[in-house]
Amino acid sequence: MMINPDGALGRSVDDGESLADSLSPRELVSSTTVYRGRIWDVVSDTFVLRDAGKQLTRDYITHPGAVAVLVMNAAGEVLMISQYRHPVGMTLWEIPAGLLDVSGEDYVEAAARELAEEADLVASQWLVLADVFNSPGSSSEAIRIYLARGLTEVDAGLRHTRTDEEAEIRFAWVSLEDAVAAVLDGSLHNPSAVVGILAAAAARASGFATLRPADAPWPAHPDQRQ
């Protein structure tokens, strides 16, 4: 047994149990699309909890997923991009990211495409920093965050024309230490940036040797489940 910080008793992870999320399918009674959007839909599922047999209904966003890129140059600085986000009414410092909305596109290919489109950069070295669910209580969105190094610029004549909110993107190279400090003092709020920065800071101690290869399986992504 272990004592939680609030004093409550809890069971420690031991006896061969790994500290890992796991698939937990429940009996699906019904599923209805209640809203169809341009990029994602809202569905209403009714399912049965295994332990009590009780039916519950939950509405959530079905999302194609996304990739994000923590870009690091030879000096160990990371690239931050500033972009307006209307739902929160704020301009956020983020890392390059985009939807997995191209049919048949490999995850790392999608990340490379977003890096070229948003930052005019190509990377020769790719590793997986982290896999996260952006808001698992309300959305199926799964995000894979990569570490990209070995950078070259996209030729000027081949660069993507950024429109709408992306046309206002601004860039800043900051030290990883300063990025971590900005996370911890509450200055940064984008989840991919926060997770990517802290994961990179943790992985740097091993020279990034503990990170997974770019083509590592991603079984938690909804599209990869059998």
Side-chain angles (χ1 to χ4, degrees):
M1 303 289 286
M2 67 177 182
I3 302 296
N4 291 333
D6 60 3
L9 287 175
R11 187 171 62 84
S12 61
V13 178
D14 54 15
D15 298 328
E17 181 185 2
S18 62
L19 183 63
D21 300 332
S22 60
L23 293 179
S24 183
R26 306 301 170 101
E27 179 187 348
L28 187 62
V29 177
S30 65
S31 182
T32 305
T33 299
V34 297
Y35 170 79
R36 293 193 182 277
R38 183 173 61 89
I39 297 174
W40 48 71
D41 301 334
V42 176
V43 301
S44 182
D45 283 357
T46 298
F47 60 95
V48 177
L49 282 181
R50 223 178 254 169
D51 53 357
K54 179 181 179 181
Q55 290 189 6
L56 297 175
T57 298
R58 296 290 182 264
D59 301 339
Y60 63 96
I61 296 168
T62 58
H63 194 286
V67 286
V69 188
L70 194 287
V71 186
M72 182 174 290
N73 63 20
E77 298 171 319
V78 296
L79 178 66
M80 304 299 298
I81 64 175
S82 175
Q83 186 172 353
Y84 173 66
R85 295 298 188 181
H86 185 71
V88 294
M90 295 180 68
T91 299
L92 304 181
W93 283 102
E94 306 179 347
I95 59 178
L99 297 171
L100 291 169
D101 57 356
V102 177
S103 179
E105 187 175 45
D106 181 78
Y107 299 137
V108 71
E109 290 176 355
R113 172 175 55 81
E114 292 294 341
L115 178 59
E117 290 179 357
E118 293 194 353
D120 304 323
L121 292 173
V122 175
S124 61
Q125 303 168 28
W126 292 84
L127 294 168
V128 176
L129 275 173
D131 296 328
V132 298
F133 291 121
N134 189 38
S135 182
S138 60
S139 171
S140 66
E141 181 180 10
I143 303 176
R144 169 157 282 189
I145 306 171
Y146 291 94
L147 172 67
R149 296 177 295 170
L151 306 174
T152 55
E153 293 187 353
V154 176
D155 292 340
L158 300 176
R159 292 181 180 178
H160 177 71
T161 300
R162 292 187 280 271
T163 61
D164 301 328
E165 291 94 339
E166 290 185 352
E168 297 183 350
I169 283 178
R170 295 183 295 121
F171 303 95
W173 288 98
V174 302
S175 70
L176 185 56
E177 291 81 3
D178 286 347
V180 170
V183 170
L184 298 181
D185 71 14
S187 297
L188 300 182
H189 303 85
N190 175 269
S192 297
V194 169
V195 173
I197 288 166
L198 297 182
R204 185 174 58 176
S206 67
F208 306 108
T210 56
L211 297 180
R212 291 167 289 161
D215 61 353
W218 191 5
H221 191 289
D223 287 349
Q224 297 299 310
R225 301 177 189 177
Q226 300 298 322

